[in-house]
Amino acid sequence: MKEDMFCYQCEQTAFGTGCTKVGVCGKSAEVANLHDLLTYALQGLSLYAVEGRKVGVVDREANVFTVQAMFSTLTNVDFDEDRFVPLVRQAVALRESLKEKVRAAGGKVDFSEDAATFQPAGDKAGMIAQGQQVGFRDDGKENPDIRSLKHILILGLRGVSAYADHAQILGQEDDAVYAFVHEGLAATLRHDLGLEDWVGLVLKCGEINLRAMELLDAGNTGIYGHPVPTKVPLGHRKGKAILVSGHDLKDLEMLLRQTEGKGITIYTHGEMLPTHGYPELKKYQHFYGHYGTAWQNQRKEFAEFPGAILMTTNCIQRPKETYMDNIFTTGLVGWPGAKHIGDKDFSPVIQKALEMPGFSDDVNGKAVTCGFGRNAVMSVAGAVIDAVKQGAIRHFFLVAGCDGAKPGRNYYTEFVEKVPQDCVVLTLACGKFRFFDKDLGDIGGIPRLLDVGQCNDSYSAIQIAVALANAFNVGVNELPLSMVLSWYEQKAVAILLTLLHLGIKGIRLGPSLPAFISPNVLDVLVKNFDIKPISTPDEDLKAILG
């Protein structure tokens, strides 16, 4: 029987093999097939973009559109099937426009690949049917290891595209990033490349992702300043409220500006917690605290929030009916029936917040500290280095990555709880919500738990590791540093590829390994990079610390 869909891009995919009826994330088969069709249309566009660069044709509109469209297919971003119909058509229109520019410049425009001439069906149902013919299904004709590497590349490119889109919004672009997204997508249509070629492309994806993250870091810190250690209350103030989730600093800034003087307090949720550390955002008096935990708990937490909710970038789940009327999306996020703010005029969000009851009293709960970006950590590098040399700090653990709902993720809570008192834990991304509010104390004034930021701040964590390695005059792999990572979606895939590109070895990855990695490809990763699945906290700590 033909599958309704096939998707195995996230860690929680059904049975650890792939979703075939409906996505575990809540994605319908219709949306999944439109994701596949949009990716296919972008593969065709990329053929012309690659040829165009050979003859001096670089189309910025096609560049920006490609990363936006790829980001739209990321897990938990856009579930609204109606929004994909125009995206597919726009991809084909841009392809045809690019084709004529390349032809005029004397470049190659004749391709044998069907994606180069694909035309979308006249209606949504027809497009969904077309989507079933392309995508990630195994037709049994391709070498399974090459198929695995192709899919790793596509999923890594979705992560790269997310970072590139974030950076572009903040005015940071590099054509090298766009060029490789097109190069990689075009390559996935080829059948003449060997295993070593594919391994090279996958590692180059990691290299390009490092550049994309560097651009995003430059955008965030250039506009909002370098994060500083900041205590963030987990309680709330009496009065009207808006909750902001997702990742986008610019959306938050625009909302803060538009709500000034309106008697509304702005709270963060999920990966927006680290935004409290940015000087240019901290200056808003009505930007107060953090509410709730990670993305997968939003259905319970949003249902209890007495104000309006704004979703930026990704991480949306199916809203409950109880709060469907007061949740809003912006940017690339979408859910059928949720009100979408396309023009960044957040008046409807503000109006809804004023209509809702808000919090009835002040609650002073616990506080957590964020803002330990690379500048903050390196400002105390001397003390850190002395503590290591004197034996006060024995080891660093980077316990980071994406959180999720599947059982097994309590490993990360237990791991951090069992890390010895003479060790420091660095963390970033939503995986930290397994332990973010634990008081681990300090070592000579240096906090034992350092929140580096969002998954979008992975560049900062890499720079901390590189700076420490330089300070001790050793390679990163010789540092007393171990990486214990959780993954969920495609930004985590791109980050993992970056770490492999940098030659980082001994990474522990969980809670389960990706379904899209074939046994032979996994064997290569184990042999070349000593990558390994997590076991138990006690066993892993014993193996690391001896």
Side-chain angles (χ1 to χ4, degrees), residues 63-314:
N63 291 344
V64 173
F65 174 80
T66 299
V67 297
Q68 287 178 339
M70 283 289 279
F71 188 6
S72 295
T73 66
L74 202 85
T75 300
N76 291 82
V77 176
D78 193 352
F79 295 83
D80 189 346
E81 59 192 65
D82 289 337
R83 283 171 59 180
F84 286 96
V85 172
L87 287 175
V88 172
R89 290 189 176 131
Q90 190 176 352
V92 172
L94 285 168
R95 182 196 76 201
E96 292 304 300
S97 169
L98 196 50
K99 178 179 179 178
E100 292 313 310
K101 291 176 185 175
V102 175
R103 189 198 307 278
K108 177 183 174 182
V109 293
D110 295 318
F111 295 97
S112 59
E113 290 86 356
D114 291 342
T117 54
F118 153 76
Q119 289 297 325
D123 61 7
K124 183 172 70 177
M127 286 191 194
I128 290 166
Q130 287 177 318
Q132 284 193 305
Q133 305 305 313
V134 296
F136 291 87
R137 289 175 175 81
D138 183 5
D139 60 8
K141 298 176 184 175
E142 197 165 34
N143 177 307
D145 301 322
I146 286 179
R147 176 176 177 267
S148 174
L149 289 163
K150 278 187 179 181
H151 291 181
I152 293 169
L153 180 57
I154 291 172
L155 299 178
L157 289 171
R158 288 181 177 176
V160 172
S161 295
Y163 293 127
D165 182 60
H166 285 309
Q168 180 271 135
I169 287 169
L170 297 170
Q172 294 287 332
E173 296 177 82
D174 181 347
D175 190 60
V177 176
Y178 296 131
F180 183 74
V181 172
H182 287 137
E183 179 191 339
L185 283 171
T188 58
L189 296 171
R190 294 175 65 173
H191 299 285
D192 60 335
L193 300 177
L195 278 171
E196 285 192 14
D197 298 313
W198 285 108
V199 170
L201 280 166
V202 164
L203 291 178
K204 189 175 178 185
C205 184
E207 178 185 3
I208 290 298
N209 186 58
L210 181 63
R211 177 60 179 145
M213 291 193 299
E214 181 184 24
L215 291 168
L216 175 55
D217 179 85
N220 282 336
T221 58
I223 295 172
Y224 304 109
H226 281 275
V228 296
T230 302
K231 279 200 167 182
V232 184
L234 300 180
H236 54 253
R237 290 172 175 167
K238 181 179 180 179
K240 307 295 185 181
I242 295 175
L243 186 63
V244 184
S245 194
H247 300 77
D248 200 282
L249 273 63
K250 189 170 184 179
D251 286 339
L252 174 61
E253 181 200 25
M254 285 188 281
L255 180 68
L256 287 167
R257 206 181 298 137
Q258 291 177 37
T259 49
E260 270 195 299
K262 289 188 164 59
I264 300 172
T265 301
I266 308 299
Y267 299 86
T268 54
H269 177 270
E271 288 249 53
M272 295 301 281
L273 168 62
T275 60
H276 289 275
Y278 286 90
E280 290 302 307
L281 298 175
K282 284 163 62 76
K283 66 185 184 184
Y284 290 93
Q285 295 300 305
H286 60 304
F287 185 35
Y288 177 64
H290 187 78
Y291 173 91
T293 51
W295 66 270
Q296 77 276 3
N297 301 319
Q298 68 186 249
R299 280 167 58 84
K300 178 180 183 295
E301 293 168 353
F302 287 4
E304 296 169 355
F305 188 76
I309 301 158
L310 178 65
M311 292 298 305
T312 74
T313 65
N314 48 318

Side-chain angles (χ1 to χ4, degrees), residues 356-379:
M356 293 187 69
F359 288 106
S360 59
D361 55 0
D362 291 334
V363 170
N364 295 315
K366 292 173 71 172
V368 295
T369 303
C370 68
F372 291 101
R374 69 179 191 281
N375 262 32
V377 173
M378 297 324 297
S379 70

